[in-house]
Amino acid sequence: MSIGTGAFSSAEAERGVEVNVVEDDEAYLGLEAEREITAFGRSADVVEIRNSFAADLTLTVSVAEPNEVVEDITVAGEEPPAELTLAPGGDEWVAVTCEQIGEAAFSLQFSGDAGGTSVEKTRTFDGIPVAPVSQVEFNGNGSVHVHGEFTELVVTVNGGPRTETITANKSGKGVIPPKGEQINRVKIGETVYKRDGNGQND
């Protein structure tokens, strides 16, 4: 996704297995959730639906009970309920858009079949923090501008040990000064943003 002239960055976030819905010892529906929603105000992939059955998995995926932090949810790019067919080892993503800072919560309902094995499950995801950062802009003078909805943020610079506590101005922008070094990497919460020189967010 393009983030504007001079705003060269990429983002990485650690992922952790949230739950595996196991039907038997050899076949299961895998769900993996991000620990943090890292795209405030924009759509972000949050839950991976993975077919670890030995057969094609057909699923209907519905969404229930999103809280007030969640603005919109799509499943494989479609409004729910979504109809999916996943080959063995295949996956699709549930994407969430949040327009408020807080903790996102919602439930996913699954109904389907894989080689004669039925899948009926509801799984709730809650307490997923929403990062207050909408854009990280790496500038030619070595500084970094952080845009978003925040009062103060603690930022780790170039892998540490240097940290900076930045405050947002009235336009929602905080500045990390270079202090004699070009900043190529910052970590905010669980997310690492990198200067990558191609004007894209990964």
Side-chain angles (χ1 to χ4, degrees):
M1 179 175 181
S2 178
I3 53 176
T5 303
F8 298 151
S9 69
S10 60
E12 298 176 352
E14 296 178 359
R15 293 176 181 166
V17 173
E18 182 74 14
V19 62
N20 280 327
V21 182
V22 180
E23 300 296 327
D24 57 39
D25 290 338
E26 297 180 355
Y28 56 92
L29 167 66
L31 303 175
E32 185 174 350
E34 298 285 4
R35 297 180 181 180
E36 181 179 75
I37 296 175
T38 60
F40 172 70
R42 295 180 287 121
S43 178
D45 290 337
V46 175
V47 178
E48 182 187 22
I49 304 169
R50 185 178 58 255
N51 178 18
S52 295
F53 287 86
D56 286 354
L57 172 62
T58 59
L59 275 180
T60 298
V61 184
S62 301
V63 176
E65 300 178 347
N67 68 355
E68 68 280 357
V69 173
V70 177
E71 178 72 15
D72 187 50
I73 299 178
T74 59
V75 180
E78 303 292 335
E79 294 295 326
E83 305 289 336
L84 305 179
T85 299
L86 300 177
D91 59 19
E92 289 286 0
W93 282 90
V94 176
V96 176
T97 302
C98 295
E99 298 287 353
Q100 297 184 40
I101 299 302
E103 293 187 342
F106 55 93
S107 295
L108 298 178
Q109 299 170 338
F110 302 91
S111 177
D113 178 88
T117 300
S118 63
V119 177
E120 299 287 340
K121 200 71 180 179
T122 298
R123 184 62 63 197
T124 297
F125 300 86
D126 55 18
I128 305 174
V130 180
V133 175
S134 59
Q135 182 184 37
V136 176
E137 181 183 7
F138 291 81
N139 300 303
N141 64 0
S143 68
V144 175
H145 292 171
V146 180
H147 304 261
E149 296 287 335
F150 58 89
T151 302
E152 288 189 345
L153 281 178
V154 177
V155 180
T156 302
V157 178
N158 285 339
R162 177 186 166 190
T163 61
E164 296 280 347
T165 300
I166 61 173
T167 58
N169 59 24
K170 292 182 179 180
S171 63
K173 180 177 70 176
V175 179
I176 309 171
K179 293 186 176 179
E181 62 175 341
Q182 176 171 283
I183 300 174
N184 295 314
R185 181 178 186 269
V186 296
K187 184 176 182 181
I188 303 172
E190 295 290 331
T191 306
V192 174
Y193 301 87
K194 296 180 181 179
R195 183 192 300 267
D196 62 17
N198 64 10
Q200 300 290 317
N201 262 350
D202 295 336

